[in-house]
Amino acid sequence: MLIVPLLAMLVDREPIGRRFVLSLPVMLVGIVLTGGVFESGVTGSGPARGTVHAVLAALCYSGFLFLLRRGGHAGQIVQSYQDVIATAAILSLIAGALWHGVNLTPGWAAIGRLALVAACGQVIGWLLVALTTPRLASEVGAALLMLTPVGALVLGAAVLGEHPTVLQLLGCALMLASVYAASARRSARQQIGDLRRHATADSTERTHIS
């Protein structure tokens, strides 16, 4: 959430909006409450190692989002996303083979569920993210992606019959409010700057296609 705008500021010299900075603490509190940290506490046999893995995963995830967004600015959205999918498939096969092994014939039921999850939750979803985030300021795109925990909580209640707690609902409300504050309509000067960047990206994409 914070790493992507920081990378955009350091690498691309893109300024971070004041609204995002002000809404960031509220957003972080909302994430913690939505995750139920204060209610379930620390669980698992290795919380320290799990924390390190989570931090590393967050860094890799942020790097992925930043590179995906830069690929869109360069007019290579679909090509960049194809490279991401191919790289993920190859690395998954290698890591699986070295870890617990890879079963290439798990059965048609498992293959069908895997294909459904891959198509809806990964391919289509991330393709939409790849197409839209280059047209948004980095902090706006990062803030909007933080709606994922809220969606997971809603789906858990609707599909799995889970019952969100009061603190989790409060966390969702804080996240929705902070995301709205971070992505609200900006000043005319900032919007003109966005339009100029979008026009440059579109021109580059047309030149690359031709």
Side-chain angles (χ1 to χ4, degrees), residues 164-185:
T165 65
V166 175
L167 287 180
Q168 285 180 310
L169 294 176
L170 176 60
C172 288
L174 291 176
M175 288 187 64
L176 290 173
S178 58
V179 168
Y180 174 78
S183 59
R185 189 176 182 86

Side-chain angles (χ1 to χ4, degrees), residues 114-195:
L114 181 61
L116 182 63
V117 171
C120 298
Q122 299 296 321
V123 177
I124 298 177
W126 281 112
L127 180 59
L128 293 174
V129 171
L131 291 171
T132 54
T133 50
R135 301 180 177 276
L136 298 171
S138 59
E139 70 267 18
V140 174
L144 291 175
L145 286 175
M146 287 299 101
L147 293 177
T148 304
V150 178
L153 200 69
V154 172
L155 285 175
V159 179
L160 302 178
E162 297 178 347
H163 300 284
T165 65
V166 175
L167 287 180
Q168 285 180 310
L169 294 176
L170 176 60
C172 288
L174 291 176
M175 288 187 64
L176 290 173
S178 58
V179 168
Y180 174 78
S183 59
R185 189 176 182 86
R186 305 193 299 165
S187 66
R189 179 179 298 178
Q190 291 171 319
Q191 293 179 51
I192 292 174
D194 288 343
L195 289 174

Side-chain angles (χ1 to χ4, degrees), residues 81-143:
Y81 190 60
Q82 289 175 344
D83 294 340
V84 167
I85 294 176
T87 303
I90 294 172
L91 291 179
S92 296
L93 286 174
I94 296 174
L98 296 177
W99 195 5
H100 291 295
V102 177
N103 182 9
L104 298 178
T105 57
W108 289 111
I111 292 176
R113 288 192 293 267
L114 181 61
L116 182 63
V117 171
C120 298
Q122 299 296 321
V123 177
I124 298 177
W126 281 112
L127 180 59
L128 293 174
V129 171
L131 291 171
T132 54
T133 50
R135 301 180 177 276
L136 298 171
S138 59
E139 70 267 18
V140 174

